[in-house]
Amino acid sequence: MDGLRRKVALVGVDESDELGYLPHKVALQLHAEAARNALADAGLKKDEVDGLFTAGVSTAVVAEYLGLRPRYTDTTTVGGASFLMHVEHAAAAIAAGLCQVALITHGQTGYSNRSRGVRPAVDPTLPAAQFEAPYGVAGPPSVYSLACTRHMHQYGTTHHQLAEIAVATRKWATLNPKAMMRDPITIEDVLNSRWISYPFHLLDCCLVTDAGGAVVVTSAERARDLRKKPVYLLGCGEAHHHALISQMEDLTTMTAAQVSGKQAFQMAGLGPKDIHVAEVYDSFTYTVLMSLEDLGFCAKGEGGAFVSGQRTAPGGNFPLNTSGGGLSYTHPGMFGIFTIIEAVRQLRGECGPRQVRGAQVVLCHGTGGSLSSAATLILGTG
Amino acid sequence: MAEYRKPIPIPSPETAPFWEASKKRELLIQRCQECGRFYFYPRPLCPHCLSPHVEWVRASGRGTLYTYNINYRATYPGFAADVPYVMAIVELEEGVRLMTNLVDVKPDPDQIKIGMAVEVVFEDVTPDISLPKFRPASRG
């Protein structure tokens, strides 16, 4: 199954001008800054964009704000995996000739929304409003923790193993000037941080920031004339499994990730051992541990052992979340696009002190909703 | 009695029988008359085979704890007085799972055991709505 292998390239990536606590900016501005920066990175003009992809807000709103008139759009919004799905959808559209230059944008003010009183509207007829919210289910910490407790029960996964991920990810963040949290932490710091939702300590949880990001995708042929060395899409996959955590069949296993990962590897003609760097959405330490199992980097239940001994830290043999991830770099709400930005930079060799030498194949993986949806991309230089 | 400030379910056409039964201390689930499988949450088409021929069944109210968490921050302002409180997914004897709160238990991982037997209790939150919650099963 070649599918979309090497049909398109990622030719421009960047964040918004600033990341962090940005009470002076709204989400649309962050979309626009990131879009301008990513187009400049690609060496493309705004008027060449004919496909627009975003999540959380309609492409009509973003297109108008940016002064774009796209002929192909997609507002797939399934949480943090959305932007990885957009790459797959953009690739399919480009391969079919429906657009030539696809711009994927993200802007979110998870931090500033709190003081602005911005809350998502809840439709009272939806199952979540009737069968989960009355019990206090609201937001990822109260959801992902339910899955983690079950994994700990079933496989003996420990708080210490989860903390290994937080500590290793922070080490990468110390090497990224754009990361918000750059002071090193220890396992004990994680274990001594306050409880948010047992079994999660504060330092098991991602940041809440304001940030934007954008990615430009075009055909492999067009990519050859652009500014930067093309990064090719080698494989991709996506899947949904459920929406509510109470509808998830096995809370220790993310079926959607198994499906998306398997398809991406098959399309690329590669396996887990061929991956040089992994950028795996880390909404929580546990999200990473579970994803590594379901993507096939280790067997089910062995994620805790896999990440032990700071294996995923700089200098370890499994470079993971080299930007500092959602845990330490930035996390405005739906982190997925930042896994792609970092992957492209690693493949171009632009990462300075955190550059992984010889990175030629990088896996990006996004998780959305209540461990509901997943998307996997395998990107490469050749 | 203080005003109830947590999210309150608003019954919809497809869920009204569930909420009416809860008020009477009955826990209803659904079973497909074509494929024979139980399911929850309520919907008029079977999620297994999309048959519209489904029936309401009164569940025993007994089950086991599938998983839980202990919340140290109020996820909604109305939960502030309850912190720390326990959310749980319970697997009913009939095989379906539902979200709930585990009550009448210390919010302590040493006291709460996955797999423990639990039973339904109903909390009257408004004159129209009673929420099914679960507590450790009484012996016998």
Side-chain angles (χ1 to χ4, degrees):
Chain A
M1 181 191 71
D2 282 2
L4 295 165
R5 178 163 72 198
R6 241 179 154 279
K7 295 265 194 301
V8 302
L10 287 72
V11 294
V13 296
D14 212 343
E15 297 107 329
S16 48
D17 295 350
E18 302 172 86
L19 312 172
Y21 299 152
L22 310 173
H24 52 290
K25 289 184 179 174
V26 300
L28 283 172
Q29 181 177 350
L30 301 173
H31 280 262
E33 290 177 0
R36 181 201 56 214
N37 295 343
L39 286 167
D41 185 54
L44 282 162
K45 294 194 182 67
K46 187 193 81 144
D47 293 344
E48 294 177 88
V49 173
D50 58 355
L52 181 64
F53 300 71
T54 195
V57 56
S58 165
T59 45
V61 173
V62 174
E64 179 185 87
Y65 191 92
L66 297 177
L68 288 170
R69 307 280 187 275
R71 65 190 176 105
Y72 192 88
T73 68
D74 179 356
T75 313
T76 297
T77 299
V78 291
S82 305
F83 308 95
L84 292 91
M85 293 186 187
H86 295 157
V87 171
E88 175 170 319
H89 301 178
I94 290 164
L98 299 173
C99 64
Q100 291 185 329
V101 176
L103 172 65
I104 304 167
T105 71
H106 175 47
Q108 209 170 358
T109 48
Y111 175 78
S112 292
N113 283 355
R114 292 174 173 177
S115 56
R116 291 172 184 160
V118 178
R119 286 177 195 282
V122 178
D123 174 347
T125 69
L126 287 179
Q130 293 189 62
F131 298 104
E132 288 204 345
Y135 301 104
V137 179
S142 66
V143 168
Y144 286 57
S145 53
L146 289 163
C148 188
T149 313
R150 182 74 197 182
H151 198 281
M152 295 171 90
H153 166 77
Q154 207 159 310
Y155 297 111
T157 303
T158 65
H159 293 290
H160 190 282
Q161 290 170 334
L162 294 166
E164 291 264 12
I165 296 172
V167 171
T169 308
R170 180 63 61 89
K171 287 179 185 167
W172 286 109
T174 64
L175 304 176
N176 181 0
K178 290 188 176 179
M180 172 175 272
M181 297 297 179
R182 303 188 61 204
D183 294 331
I185 53 173
T186 63
I187 300 278
E188 289 66 37
D189 290 335
V190 181
L191 299 181
N192 292 330
S193 63
R194 64 189 161 89
W195 292 115
I196 297 296
S197 179
Y198 174 92
F200 293 154
H201 293 91
L202 175 69
L203 293 176
D204 286 304
C205 304
C206 66
L207 307 172
V208 180
T209 69
D210 304 325
V215 173
V216 184
V217 184
T218 191
S219 66
E221 192 182 2
R222 180 78 205 278
R224 285 200 288 268
D225 316 323
L226 296 179
R227 234 183 108 224
K228 296 274 178 81
K229 184 173 77 170
V231 166
Y232 297 100
L233 177 65
L234 304 180
C236 54
E238 67 175 67
H240 289 349
H241 181 266
H242 59 275
L244 303 182
I245 192 75
S246 55
Q247 297 289 311
M248 188 171 179
E249 269 169 47
D250 174 354
L251 267 74
T252 69
T253 301
M254 201 173 159
T255 311
Q258 292 179 331
V259 173
S260 69
K262 187 176 175 195
Q263 179 177 312
F265 279 121
Q266 278 182 355
M267 193 185 291
L270 298 172
K273 289 200 167 16
D274 300 314
I275 300 300
H276 301 143
V277 181
E279 307 292 344
V280 176
Y281 193 164
D282 53 346
S283 46
F284 302 93
T285 50
Y286 173 68
T287 317
V288 180
L289 189 147
M290 183 187 211
S291 300
L292 291 173
E293 294 175 351
D294 293 325
L295 291 167
F297 289 107
C298 59
K300 180 51 61 183
E302 292 179 4
F306 185 83
V307 301
S308 290
Q310 290 298 289
R311 183 182 194 171
T312 69
N317 71 0
F318 192 84
L320 172 74
N321 294 342
T322 53
S323 65
L327 292 170
S328 289
Y329 148 62
T330 200
H331 189 283
M334 296 185 286
F335 180 76
I337 202 154
F338 300 100
T339 66
I340 307 167
I341 293 170
E342 178 69 6
V344 169
R345 287 176 174 158
Q346 284 286 348
L347 288 164
R348 289 173 175 172
E350 295 178 340
C351 287
R354 68 179 193 281
Q355 179 65 43
V356 176
R357 284 174 55 197
Q360 293 177 316
V361 183
V362 180
L363 175 139
C364 304
H365 182 73
T367 300
S370 302
L371 294 164
S372 317
S373 304
T376 311
L377 305 176
I378 297 171
L379 307 178
T381 50
Chain B
M1 185 178 150
E3 188 192 354
Y4 187 80
R5 292 179 59 234
K6 299 172 188 172
I8 299 171
I10 301 172
S12 56
E14 58 188 21
T15 66
F18 173 86
W19 293 113
E20 282 159 22
S22 290
K23 210 161 56 176
K24 294 184 287 185
R25 273 52 188 156
E26 293 179 6
L27 182 65
L28 293 192
I29 58 175
Q30 286 173 301
R31 180 167 54 200
C32 176
Q33 292 168 310
E34 285 193 28
C35 75
R37 296 176 71 175
F38 287 104
Y39 63 91
F40 186 83
Y41 49 90
R43 59 207 114 153
L45 298 177
C46 168
H48 302 294
C49 71
L50 293 183
S51 167
H53 303 297
V54 302
E55 61 183 345
W56 293 98
V57 178
R58 184 176 176 182
S60 72
R62 291 186 297 270
T64 53
L65 181 67
Y66 178 74
T67 193
Y68 71 97
N69 62 20
I70 305 171
N71 296 277
Y72 289 80
R73 293 188 319 168
T75 47
Y76 294 94
F79 282 86
D82 297 359
V83 169
Y85 59 97
V86 181
M87 288 175 202
I89 297 178
V90 163
E91 185 163 309
L92 300 179
E93 280 183 339
E94 292 79 6
V96 302
R97 292 196 204 129
L98 42 74
M99 182 67 70
T100 191
N101 293 128
L102 192 62
V103 297
D104 296 345
V105 67
K106 264 182 73 175
D108 174 353
D110 291 333
Q111 304 284 316
I112 304 171
K113 295 295 169 203
I114 287 180
M116 69 197 272
V118 294
E119 63 189 13
V120 72
V121 289
F122 290 88
E123 182 187 333
D124 300 324
V125 302
T126 70
D128 293 323
I129 294 291
S130 299
L131 283 180
K133 298 191 172 183
F134 284 77
R135 68 182 177 200
S138 47
R139 291 191 186 85

